[in-house]
Amino acid sequence: HTARKQFCAIGSVKTNVGHLDAAAGVTGLIKVATMLNRGVIPASLHLDKPNPNIDFQQSPVFVSKTCTAWPRGGEARRGGVSSFGIGGTNAHTILEEAPPRSGDQGGRRLHVFPVSGASRSGLTEMLQQLASFMRRSDIQHSAANIAYTLQQGRAALRYRTSFVGSDLGTLADQLDQEALQAGASREVSSIEHRIVFMFSGQGGQQIGMARELYVEEPVFRSAIDECAKWLNELAHIDFRSLLYREANSDGELESQLEAIIQPVIFATQYAMAKLFNSWGIFPAAVIGHSIGEYAAAHFAGIISLPDAIRLTLKRGQLSSRVPAGGIVAVGLSPEELQPSWNESLSLAAINGPRQCVVSGAASEIAAFHEQLQAKSIASKRIRASHAVHSSLLDPILPEFRIHAEQVELHAPQVPFMSTVLGDWLEADVPLDGSYWVRNLRETVQFHLAFDRLVESGHELLIEMGPGAALTRHSRHFKSKSNLRSPVAFAALPGGDHGQGDRLRLLHTLGKLWTCGVR
């Protein structure tokens, strides 16, 4: 029903494949779907002269004799498939092309690009080929698709490196540079890694921490929202509206957040660990520093999520009742501290052979810090409003014990390295609320616990932040055995109020892969 002539191409699969009998119809369907996908009309092969009884010149159709482009007009491209069977079993179906789509379908702004080779020279060649491919102008590239193929469609070979980005031109330049230095690539050992999740204490928190992850990582956001729900029921405050404000927030905002900072730190650590779980990374052991032991205990199966939030909230509320205190980190061993010791001060933590933390009343800490500086002893004030692990907390311990004893505790399902005991918490040791009282008051035995942890063969550690304090402490560890020295990475090393957190996190993820982590 048209006066137009010779605008519709026709062909058949018989010239492409041969006689297909009952499979002719489905093969025609495949052919037309492929034509729509590629925007090409293939030739009907071996046609020299059409049947003279067919008046093609006056017909809407013509036989496609050559392979030609099928340009997109004002309407979607469509193709019909006719299959004529015996006895009138004829079928005709019309296919329409899918709507055009862009190369990247939303999702992450940044991607991890893992690259490996069976040898250093093989890795160099792979880097050069990939850089060349990224620069090709005759292919519609997608950074997301390339990253996905490298992650899921390539074998993970012995020599590895990784990149993070989204701009293919910049990535190609990085690949070229890395190809020149492929000798610096990491060689994966045959040792199976026993990953440790480390959960840090207070000191690295700041307004806006992990804001980018909350916005762009659904798993992280869901975990934060889950914690916010529990905390809102207990304290009638939504910490998200405080934590994720802009960096230039006023002092009142700081004080509001400070009142609930301990459960907020727990929530951030919990969400970070859940994000790593979603990537298939689970701990073979856990360790926590001070407040970080709550997140470690949760992932060891010792304490439930609601109880952990309830107890960290009460810990912070009671601590706020004690007089203002201070904390100072000192580059001395406990023995070396003795000549400078003031009996009103407390040894809050031993983080390394010559890394101690001292806490006490604000005025006493200020005087102690001045004394250390006068003697040119390395020291640094740590941002804290209360003197954790000091005698100033003694008046609140009985009330905290009452709350701690109301919490149901379970034997660890994942090996739990206690920084209260400086040793493994054995599954057959009964747990009660007194453990959390000791966690609040006693010296954090991180160095002793870390020493035991690594000597037992756990050499790859991920700090679940905020901050990178435990990662830095781990670098001072010297293995007493023939085991390899530990390698530690900070998942949330901290930046300018959460800016760039996602970039740093993906770099960490890529580095873990170069170490052999799946």
Side-chain angles (χ1 to χ4, degrees):
H1 306 286
T2 177
R4 295 173 60 199
K5 309 295 184 186
Q6 292 198 304
F7 66 90
C8 180
I10 61 170
S12 74
V13 294
K14 186 178 291 185
T15 70
N16 303 115
V17 184
H19 291 280
L20 287 158
D21 196 67
V26 72
T27 308
L29 187 72
I30 294 169
K31 177 179 178 180
V32 173
T34 305
M35 291 164 59
L36 290 167
N37 178 259
R38 298 187 180 180
V40 170
I41 300 174
S44 286
L45 304 180
H46 317 301
L47 176 67
D48 295 323
K49 186 168 60 176
N51 189 318
N53 294 319
I54 303 175
D55 187 6
F56 280 113
Q57 295 299 320
Q58 299 303 313
S59 166
V61 301
F62 68 93
V63 180
S64 175
K65 295 183 180 180
T66 60
C67 186
T68 57
W70 189 356
R72 183 177 286 110
E75 295 183 341
R77 290 179 291 214
R78 298 182 184 91
V81 183
S82 291
S83 180
F84 306 125
I86 297 173
T89 54
N90 303 330
H92 185 77
T93 187
I94 299 173
L95 278 72
E96 180 178 295
E97 66 175 340
R101 61 181 182 180
S102 61
D104 287 306
Q105 298 299 302
R108 290 183 168 88
R109 291 182 298 108
L110 299 169
H111 308 280
V112 181
F113 297 82
V115 189
S116 68
S119 63
R120 294 196 191 280
S121 60
L123 176 60
T124 299
E125 184 178 354
M126 178 65 176
L127 290 167
Q128 292 170 337
Q129 290 178 351
L130 188 57
S132 176
F133 176 79
M134 286 180 173
R135 290 192 176 100
R136 286 182 60 178
S137 60
D138 59 327
I139 299 176
Q140 185 179 6
H141 291 310
S142 163
N145 289 347
I146 294 174
Y148 180 85
T149 298
L150 291 172
Q151 292 172 18
Q152 302 293 330
R154 297 290 181 267
L157 303 176
R158 186 175 178 181
Y159 294 89
R160 302 184 183 185
T161 187
S162 67
F163 304 86
V164 176
S166 58
D167 179 72
L168 295 181
T170 303
L171 283 164
D173 292 340
Q174 293 178 1
L175 290 163
D176 280 339
Q177 187 64 29
E178 185 72 12
L180 297 175
Q181 304 171 353
S185 62
R186 182 179 287 275
E187 180 181 1
V188 175
S189 70
S190 58
I191 297 175
E192 182 178 350
H193 291 297
R194 301 169 70 187
I195 297 171
V196 178
F197 280 9
M198 299 191 298
F199 298 92
S200 50
Q202 284 185 249
Q205 71 275 6
Q206 60 177 320
I207 295 288
M209 62 181 179
R211 182 194 291 115
E212 285 186 351
L213 302 184
Y214 183 79
V215 172
E216 299 185 33
E217 292 291 346
V219 171
F220 187 91
R221 180 168 58 253
S222 175
I224 287 289
D225 291 346
E226 185 180 12
C227 292
K229 176 180 73 71
W230 287 109
L231 188 57
N232 193 32
E233 290 183 8
L234 295 167
H236 307 294
I237 187 169
D238 188 343
F239 72 82
R240 295 167 295 187
S241 62
L242 304 175
L243 181 62
Y244 299 131
R245 293 274 185 90
E246 292 302 319
N248 59 358
S249 302
D250 56 27
E252 183 182 354
L253 178 62
E254 290 273 6
S255 63
Q256 286 180 298
L257 187 60
E258 185 65 34
I260 55 168
I261 195 60
Q262 295 194 36
V264 169
I265 290 172
F266 170 86
T268 303
Q269 294 172 336
Y270 169 78
M272 184 64 66
K274 294 293 283 186
L275 183 57
F276 274 84
N277 289 167
S278 74
W279 291 330
I281 300 175
F282 295 87
V286 293
I287 184 173
H289 191 290
S290 189
I291 188 68
E293 278 211 313
Y294 287 85
H298 172 72
F299 282 93
I302 294 172
I303 188 170
S304 70
L305 177 65
D307 281 341
I309 293 174
R310 185 177 297 111
L311 211 49
T312 53
L313 175 63
K314 185 56 64 176
R315 189 183 195 262
Q317 288 173 336
L318 292 176
S319 297
S320 66
R321 296 183 189 174
V322 304
I327 302 174
V328 61
V330 187
L332 296 174
S333 67
E335 295 75 22
E336 291 170 328
L337 271 173
Q338 290 303 320
S340 307
W341 197 249
N342 182 328
E343 291 301 326
S344 65
L345 301 177
S346 299
L347 183 59
I350 305 173
N351 294 327
R354 302 185 77 239
Q355 293 175 298
C356 291
V357 176
V358 178
S359 64
S363 58
E364 297 286 351
I365 282 292
F368 180 61
H369 190 220
E370 288 179 7
Q371 182 184 352
L372 294 171
Q373 289 181 316
K375 296 180 179 179
S376 299
I377 296 174
S379 59
K380 179 183 179 182
R381 290 291 296 270
I382 296 176
R383 190 182 72 171
S385 57
H386 306 293
V388 293
H389 308 286
S390 78
S391 58
L392 292 179
L393 298 176
D394 290 346
I396 68 170
L397 296 182
E399 185 176 350
F400 184 66
R401 181 186 297 275
I402 293 172
H403 292 281
E405 288 177 346
Q406 295 172 354
V407 171
E408 184 178 358
L409 303 176
H410 307 276
Q413 303 301 305
V414 173
F416 179 90
M417 177 56 72
S418 166
T419 53
V420 172
L421 307 175
D423 205 346
W424 296 106
L425 183 66
E426 300 298 338
D428 57 353
V429 175
L431 269 176
D432 56 31
S434 63
Y435 182 87
W436 297 114
V437 177
R438 295 180 65 186
N439 166 276
L440 174 61
R441 173 63 181 89
E442 294 183 8
T443 302
V444 179
Q445 301 289 341
F446 181 78
H447 176 58
L448 184 59
F450 191 82
D451 185 76
R452 291 275 293 148
L453 180 72
V454 178
E455 291 299 333
S456 64
H458 298 83
E459 84 287 350
L460 190 60
L461 308 106
I462 310 172
E463 182 173 355
M464 293 299 164
L470 302 187
T471 300
R472 289 192 295 269
H473 294 327
S474 71
R475 293 174 186 151
H476 297 278
F477 176 84
K478 302 296 182 186
S479 178
K480 301 184 184 69
S481 66
N482 292 325
L483 296 173
R484 296 184 302 169
S485 295
V487 178
F489 298 99
L492 194 64
D496 183 13
H497 301 280
Q499 298 300 312
D501 279 340
R502 197 159 171 280
L503 175 63
R504 284 183 284 269
L505 174 63
L506 293 182
H507 273 299
T508 295
L509 193 62
K511 289 176 183 176
L512 287 168
W513 181 80
T514 65
C515 290
V517 175
R518 292 189 62 183

